């Protein structure tokens, strides 16, 4: 479903070339649930943005649902759902309900399919209480649930989330996690998320990737990850060790 | 494409009305400004009978034709030059994940019907001039052609201005000189300008084809600068000649988009 082959993206910053991502290769099969870890500035968001066609890779090959995201961006948009935890993709001044209706029209979602999809999302995400409010008046937790619903209205095969639980309280976090787990297991939607919250990884992800300095530093199951540091008992300790050794080898 | 445009524009217009006081104020202000514009023209022409060899009504005709095209573009396309704000705020990312051209999303962004007053004002001036002038009816077909040509030329300029901002994110004002400046420049008969400037806006940046060259045909006049008469009909060619590089520049800009951190 997602395929990266030696993908790279560099930026020119004051005549110096900075490689945000380099030689990144991985494959995610349909139906997988993958969590992506990495320190700030490691290249996670750049990777996500290459997957949805926002950034054009400067080297290598990227394929999502068989399409080259940067060349077939609008075609891919119909098959992928994207959520940015740090900013909404909804229309600030429109009631949430109107944003959904607009998305239905932009994505050409059939009215009947849309109706049942929206009912289902309203129920599972508990949108009913605030669907009539403009997005700007929503709390962060409500907004996040609205963004999730918006990304799923067109029933995409792949859902890509960049820090979906950032800034949320424990209850909201649990709600989002529960929703994502069910989406993946019941509907078979492929999910790729980036996060700094190790709870997301522990509770959701069968597979973990660790990106550091724009490269893949680890790729495997949670158990594999724990096994990289025998003697350390919590995932925090293991990840801290991986982040700090990554920094040392980079020097 | 058109239906998507209308859908988005309608959505924004509704959103604008969500802030009712602001919307009402904008509508009133827009009407007042449009009225002042007309007043200024009337004051100028109350004191002059001709400008650089063109009569009162002929100048109004050239002014009206350029302004209809310009105000139309300002309302329906002009918002694309707000792209640097969207790039800096990170909201351009959200436009790129939708199955709709980001150009349309930008053009309709914050669309407000309050600017319609200015189009109406420009159209009124043009209509007055057409009625006041004793024109050859066989030449009037050029009027709609020149307005469409003008719209395409201005829209291309705006698109070029937006494309440049993928690189010059920090200097959105620089490009306003080209968009609004072009609008201002074409409000007067080109005979008021120096020969070299007119050459520049004929052969380099084809502003002369917005209203000057086709306007001369409608008015049945020779070009004071002595260009051959077939040039009166080259407007559509010039418009396409500008639209093509604008489209390519826009595509290039998208591919070089750098996004923001996080």
């Amino acid at each position: 479903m997602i395929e990266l082959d030696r993908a790279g993206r560099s930026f020119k910053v004051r005549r110096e070339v900075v490689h945000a991502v380099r030689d990144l290769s991985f494959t995610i099969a349909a139906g997988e649930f993958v969590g992506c870890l990495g320190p700030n500035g490691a290249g996670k968001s750049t990777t996500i943005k290459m997957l949805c066609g926002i950034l054009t890779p400067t080297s290598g090959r990227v394929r999502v649902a068989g399409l080259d995201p940067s060349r077939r961006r609008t075609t891919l948009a119909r098959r992928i759902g994207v959520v940015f935890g740090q900013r909404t993709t909804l229309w600030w001044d429109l009631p949430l309900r109107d944003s959904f209706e607009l998305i239905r029209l932009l994505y050409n979602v059939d009215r009947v399919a849309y109706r049942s999809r929206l009912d289902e999302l309203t129920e599972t995400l508990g949108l009913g209480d605030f669907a009539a409010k403009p997005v700007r008046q929503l709390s962060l937790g409500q907004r996040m649930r609205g963004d999730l619903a918006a990304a799923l209205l067109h029933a995409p095969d792949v859902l890509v989330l960049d820090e979906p639980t950032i800034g949320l309280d424990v209850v909201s976090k649990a709600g989002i996690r529960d929703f994502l787990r069910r989406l993946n297991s019941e509907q078979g939607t492929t999910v790729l998320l980036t996060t700094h919250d190790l709870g997301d990884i522990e509770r959701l992800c069968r597979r973990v990737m660790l990106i550091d300095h724009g490269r893949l530093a680890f790729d495997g199951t949670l158990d594999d990850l724990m096994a990289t540091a025998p003697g350390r008992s919590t995932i925090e300790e293991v990840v801290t060790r991986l982040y700090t050794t990554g920094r040392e080898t980079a020097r | 494409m058109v239906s998507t445009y209308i859908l988005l524009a309608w959505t924004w217009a509704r959103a604008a009305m969500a802030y009712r006081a602001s919307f009402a104020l904008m509508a009133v202000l827009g009407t007042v400004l449009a009225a002042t514009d007309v007043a200024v023209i009337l004051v100028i022409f109350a004191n002059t009978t001709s400008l650089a060899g063109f009569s009162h009504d002929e100048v109004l005709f050239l002014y009206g034709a350029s302004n209809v095209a310009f105000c139309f573009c300002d309302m329906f396309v002009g918002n694309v030059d707000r792209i640097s704000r969207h790039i800096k705020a990170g909201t351009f990312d959200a436009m790129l994940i939708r199955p709709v051209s980001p150009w349309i999303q930008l053009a309709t962004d914050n669309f407000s019907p309050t600017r319609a007053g200015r189009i109406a004002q420009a159209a009124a001036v043009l209509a007055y001039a057409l009625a006041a002038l004793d024109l050859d009816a066989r030449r009037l077909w050029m009027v709609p052609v020149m307005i469409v040509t003008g719209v395409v030329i201005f829209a291309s300029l705006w698109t070029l201005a937006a494309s440049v901002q993928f690189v010059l994110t920090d200097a959105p004002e620089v490009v306003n000189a080209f968009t609004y400046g072009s609008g201002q420049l074409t409000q007067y008969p080109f005979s008021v300008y120096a020969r070299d400037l007119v050459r520049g806006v004929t052969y380099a940046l084809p502003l002369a084809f917005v209203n000057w060259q086709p306007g001369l045909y409608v008015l049945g006049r020779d070009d004071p600068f002595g260009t051959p008469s077939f040039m009166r009909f080259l407007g559509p060619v010039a418009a396409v000649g500008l639209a093509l590089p604008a489209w390519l520049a826009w595509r290039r800009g998208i591919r070089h988009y750098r996004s923001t951190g996080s």
Side-chain angles (χ1 to χ4, degrees):
Chain A
M1 189 55 80
I2 298 175
E3 231 187 295
L4 265 76
D5 186 18
R6 300 178 64 86
R9 170 75 203 207
S10 55
F11 297 97
K12 243 187 224 137
V13 183
R14 290 184 212 92
R15 283 185 208 155
E16 231 176 288
V17 178
V18 177
H19 295 277
V21 171
R22 56 173 128 191
D23 282 347
L24 192 59
S25 304
F26 62 81
T27 308
I28 295 175
E32 277 198 88
F33 199 128
V34 182
C36 187
L37 284 172
N40 294 113
K44 300 187 301 296
S45 292
T46 303
T47 307
I48 295 279
K49 285 172 184 172
M50 287 197 289
L51 292 180
C52 42
I54 293 174
L55 289 174
T56 308
T58 40
S59 63
R61 205 177 91 111
V62 178
R63 289 289 178 279
V64 178
L67 300 166
D68 179 347
S70 65
R71 293 195 179 276
R72 306 286 307 282
R73 200 186 61 246
T74 46
T75 314
L76 179 64
R78 293 179 194 282
R79 305 196 48 190
I80 189 174
V82 185
V83 174
F84 297 112
Q86 310 245 33
R87 59 179 72 100
T88 183
T89 55
L90 300 169
W91 289 264
W92 207 237
D93 294 321
L94 291 186
L96 192 56
R97 189 185 287 142
D98 293 16
S99 273
F100 292 160
E101 179 64 18
L102 186 56
I103 284 171
R104 177 183 87 75
L105 293 161
L106 291 182
Y107 285 79
N108 284 324
V109 182
D110 164 76
R111 198 181 286 272
V112 179
Y114 166 80
R115 202 60 253 174
S116 69
R117 187 94 181 150
L118 182 60
D119 286 346
E120 187 191 326
L121 287 166
T122 305
E123 159 117 26
T124 48
L125 286 166
L127 306 172
D129 309 334
F130 50 87
K133 279 195 194 172
V135 174
R136 65 188 137 89
Q137 289 176 12
L138 302 184
S139 73
L140 184 61
Q142 292 173 331
R143 205 217 74 202
M144 199 56 229
R145 282 184 275 163
D147 259 305
L148 257 177
L152 292 167
L153 280 172
H154 60 292
D157 308 326
V158 196
L159 181 64
V160 176
L161 311 106
D162 197 8
E163 303 188 31
T165 54
I166 194 164
L168 299 185
D169 65 62
V170 272
V171 181
S172 306
K173 247 183 218 177
I176 299 275
R177 283 174 186 160
D178 190 45
F179 175 81
L180 290 175
R181 188 179 18 241
R182 282 173 51 191
L183 179 78
N184 174 253
S185 62
E186 288 169 19
Q187 312 207 7
T189 308
T190 313
V191 181
L192 170 65
L193 61 82
T194 73
T195 187
H196 289 298
D197 188 324
L198 300 170
D200 290 346
I201 299 286
E202 276 185 305
R203 287 179 187 76
L204 290 173
C205 306
R206 288 189 291 276
R207 178 176 164 195
V208 186
M209 293 195 300
L210 196 145
I211 293 180
D212 202 0
H213 300 285
R215 290 196 167 102
L216 199 59
F218 173 85
D219 185 358
T221 64
L222 188 57
D223 290 339
D224 295 341
L225 181 71
M226 299 301 287
T228 59
R232 320 251 170 170
S233 54
T234 67
I235 181 169
E236 277 83 3
E237 287 176 338
V238 175
V239 170
T240 308
R241 188 178 154 273
L242 277 169
Y243 282 12
T244 42
T245 51
R247 215 152 290 160
E248 277 156 24
T249 45
R251 268 181 213 146
Chain B
M1 239 176 94
V2 175
S3 64
T4 308
Y5 185 100
I6 294 169
L7 174 70
L8 281 168
W10 170 237
T11 305
W12 276 110
R14 262 188 320 170
M17 286 179 242
Y19 297 104
R20 276 197 201 93
S22 157
F23 181 80
L25 201 66
M26 286 288 286
V28 171
L29 216 66
T31 319
V32 171
L33 280 176
T36 356
D37 253 18
V38 181
V40 169
I41 305 161
L42 292 178
V43 167
I44 292 173
F45 282 99
N47 299 307
T48 41
T49 48
S50 76
L51 185 62
F54 284 78
S55 79
H56 183 154
D57 294 335
E58 284 175 325
V59 175
L60 282 184
F61 166 73
L62 291 171
Y63 170 92
S66 147
N67 233 17
V68 166
F70 182 81
C71 292
F72 185 87
C73 268
D74 191 28
M75 178 165 174
F76 290 99
V77 181
N79 277 330
V80 296
D81 74 0
R82 293 156 59 105
I83 186 174
S84 60
R85 264 189 252 178
H86 288 283
I87 291 176
K88 278 189 260 185
T91 42
F92 193 62
D93 286 1
M95 295 187 180
L96 288 171
I97 62 162
R98 302 273 174 235
V100 172
S101 151
W103 189 89
I104 292 185
Q105 293 182 64
L106 274 172
T108 51
D109 180 61
N110 264 310
F111 177 86
S112 171
T114 50
R115 292 192 213 177
R118 296 189 43 216
I119 304 178
Q121 172 253 317
V125 172
L126 180 64
Y128 165 80
L130 285 173
L133 288 162
D134 186 22
L135 295 169
D136 183 346
R138 282 167 303 173
R139 295 187 172 211
L140 286 180
W141 62 269
M142 184 58 102
V143 177
V145 173
M146 67 195 271
I147 286 170
V148 173
T149 304
V151 167
V152 174
I153 288 176
F154 284 131
S156 306
L157 277 176
W158 252 298
T159 306
L160 279 170
S163 310
V164 168
Q165 291 181 38
F166 282 108
V167 186
L168 298 174
T169 317
D170 293 324
E173 302 81 12
V174 174
V175 298
N176 282 352
F178 286 93
T179 51
Y180 286 87
S182 302
Q184 300 275 321
L185 192 107
T186 50
Q187 286 181 356
Y188 302 96
F190 276 25
S191 46
V192 304
Y193 301 120
R195 181 175 290 269
D196 285 339
L197 177 69
V198 174
R199 243 183 229 146
V201 295
T202 304
Y203 302 107
L205 200 66
L207 295 175
F209 299 97
V210 171
N211 61 345
W212 175 242
Q213 290 282 356
L216 289 172
Y217 171 77
V218 176
L219 297 172
R221 297 189 49 149
D222 290 330
D223 185 354
F225 295 104
T227 55
S229 59
F230 72 86
M231 287 191 60
R232 315 289 175 266
F233 306 99
L234 291 186
V237 180
V240 173
L242 189 64
L244 206 66
W247 182 67
L248 289 173
W250 173 255
R251 282 186 32 142
R252 224 182 133 74
I254 295 270
R255 286 193 73 78
H256 284 77
Y257 174 55
R258 302 163 58 112
S259 188
T260 47
S262 93

